Amino acid sequence: MGMLVDGEWKDVWYDTKSTGGAFKREDSAFRGRVTADGSSGFPAEAGRYHLFVSLACPWAHRTLIFRALKGLEKAISVSVVDPLMLKEGWEFPEPDELTAATRLYEVYLKAKPGYTGRVTVPVLWDKQKQTIVNNESAEIIRMLNSDFDEVAENPGLDLYPEPLRAEIDAINEMVYDRVNNGVYKAGFATEQDKYEKAVTSLFGALDILEERLARQRYIAGNRITEADWRLFTTLIRFDPVYVGHFKCNLRTLASYPNLWGYTRELYQVPGVAGTVNFTHIKRHYYESHRQINGSGIVPLGPVLDHDAPHGRDRLPKVA
């Protein structure tokens, strides 16, 4: 873990002293947008854009799911960093074919020499302009959902449909604060009260979602939307990582009948299982965060069957 300061890499952990032991996530720095009409200066074109991702990272995972579901694998290429994130931050297993970088922070410096800030995934890179377009996953998936339809193999899929946008946005806000980021607020807390507050809020949110999924097939109703995939990338990591490593252990996800069945259903959507890599996921968290897991030992369990029947067919859905 580290960051760039005036273009120089510093091996520093998150500063929780200034926040009384609470983890506070920084805003993403690159906020450009690819548009279908090119009015942004970044026109949607096949072969022009590239994603830098970690298979371990839930934020990067969102972009891989959207890329797969929309049929953009041929239009947008990908580089995958090593699962371990140690003193040099995210590194490539071998020099990146596109940029020749060996560390992800070198990609950031190509885009902005003298950059100060965290070096995170995902990164949407413009091969033509040799720069970072965006490193905010929530915005990247919106681009993949609609702006690349002319080059997508599945342009008819809309994961952010107009009639449900208000509902999706409200759900995303709660899920981001209490679940997606909530597990990190618990895991990276350095004071007992901040940890307990985060865990209490997290499981309160899971209880709300469990009850919601008892009466409807998906989070925003009877069709899969962006809100489901934003939640899924945290849920799929919950029992393997967050329960133990981040001390989110009031209950396991498998103890929630509706959430667990829902997670299995989403995992079984064609194209999604191929984006899930539990080896990268477990190695990254348990081996990288030595402040939390000093030994770096990766647990063998839990044994979970994501291909088991999900039982969600009792609730109606639309395509």
Side-chain angles (χ1 to χ4, degrees):
M1 182 66 70
M3 64 183 296
L4 285 166
V5 179
D6 296 327
E8 184 178 349
W9 181 256
K10 305 286 186 181
D11 180 27
V12 291
W13 187 250
Y14 289 102
D15 174 23
T16 57
K17 290 184 179 180
S18 64
T19 57
F23 166 69
K24 184 177 181 181
R25 188 176 298 277
E26 298 175 10
D27 291 336
S28 300
F30 294 87
R31 310 301 283 270
R33 182 175 181 88
V34 175
T35 52
D37 62 6
S39 59
S40 63
F42 296 105
E45 300 171 356
R48 176 166 175 166
Y49 298 97
H50 187 82
L51 279 169
F52 292 98
V53 302
S54 161
L55 301 182
C57 172
W59 317 101
H61 192 182
R62 300 172 174 182
T63 66
L64 291 176
I65 290 173
F66 272 65
R67 175 176 174 264
L69 295 180
K70 290 290 293 187
L72 289 166
E73 292 99 329
K74 295 178 181 177
I76 301 173
S77 51
V78 170
S79 292
V80 178
V81 296
D82 191 89
L84 300 190
M85 183 176 60
L86 302 173
K87 290 184 178 182
E88 295 292 316
W90 293 115
E91 299 183 66
F92 297 98
E94 53 188 43
D96 178 55
E97 291 185 4
L98 181 64
T99 63
T102 58
R103 302 165 184 85
L104 187 61
Y105 68 71
E106 296 168 13
V107 174
Y108 274 67
L109 293 176
K110 284 178 183 289
K112 188 175 181 179
Y115 171 76
T116 293
R118 293 285 173 183
V119 174
T120 60
V121 286
V123 170
L124 183 62
W125 175 263
D126 183 344
K127 300 176 187 178
Q128 183 173 312
K129 291 189 175 182
Q130 290 288 291
T131 194
I132 295 173
V133 180
N134 195 293
N135 70 335
E136 170 51 58
S137 66
E139 295 172 1
I140 293 172
I141 62 175
R142 292 273 172 92
M143 299 176 217
L144 300 182
N145 180 63
S146 59
D147 289 289
F148 286 89
D149 278 351
E150 288 297 317
V151 297
E153 294 178 3
N154 192 11
L157 176 66
D158 184 5
L159 295 166
Y160 189 53
E162 182 70 40
L164 296 177
R165 287 184 180 180
E167 178 79 356
I168 291 169
D169 289 344
I171 294 166
N172 285 346
E173 184 176 0
M174 186 274 281
V175 166
Y176 169 78
D177 180 53
R178 299 178 64 179
V179 183
N180 299 145
N181 202 37
V183 294
Y184 284 88
K185 288 192 282 188
F188 287 171
T190 55
E191 294 292 339
Q192 186 71 29
D193 63 328
K194 300 301 189 300
Y195 157 75
E196 292 184 4
K197 180 180 178 181
V199 168
T200 300
S201 176
L202 165 64
F203 280 91
L206 292 179
D207 290 343
I208 291 170
L209 296 169
E210 172 71 5
E211 191 278 329
R212 190 181 188 97
L213 289 169
R215 63 178 188 271
Q216 62 190 52
R217 186 75 171 259
Y218 306 109
I219 291 297
N222 61 358
R223 62 180 290 183
I224 297 176
T225 67
E226 169 191 294
D228 297 293
W229 297 120
R230 285 177 51 133
L231 175 60
F232 171 79
T233 59
T234 297
L235 297 184
I236 199 69
R237 290 161 172 77
F238 201 84
D239 286 5
V241 172
Y242 302 139
V243 168
H245 186 59
F246 279 175
K247 306 178 184 69
C248 299
N249 60 358
L250 294 186
R251 289 174 289 282
T252 63
L253 182 68
S255 70
Y256 286 96
N258 297 312
L259 275 167
W260 178 223
Y262 163 83
T263 301
R264 297 199 308 278
E265 180 181 5
L266 292 179
Y267 177 85
Q268 293 168 27
V269 169
V272 173
T275 70
V276 180
N277 188 311
F278 286 111
T279 299
H280 274 238
I281 289 168
K282 292 174 70 173
R283 286 197 64 205
H284 165 67
Y285 285 95
Y286 286 104
E287 293 187 48
S288 300
H289 300 158
R290 294 303 176 96
Q291 292 85 348
I292 299 173
N293 183 37
S295 68
I297 291 175
V298 180
L300 292 177
V303 176
L304 300 167
D305 185 1
H306 293 93
D307 292 310
H310 52 73
R312 301 291 294 166
D313 296 327
R314 62 185 174 82
L315 296 167
K317 73 170 184 176
V318 296

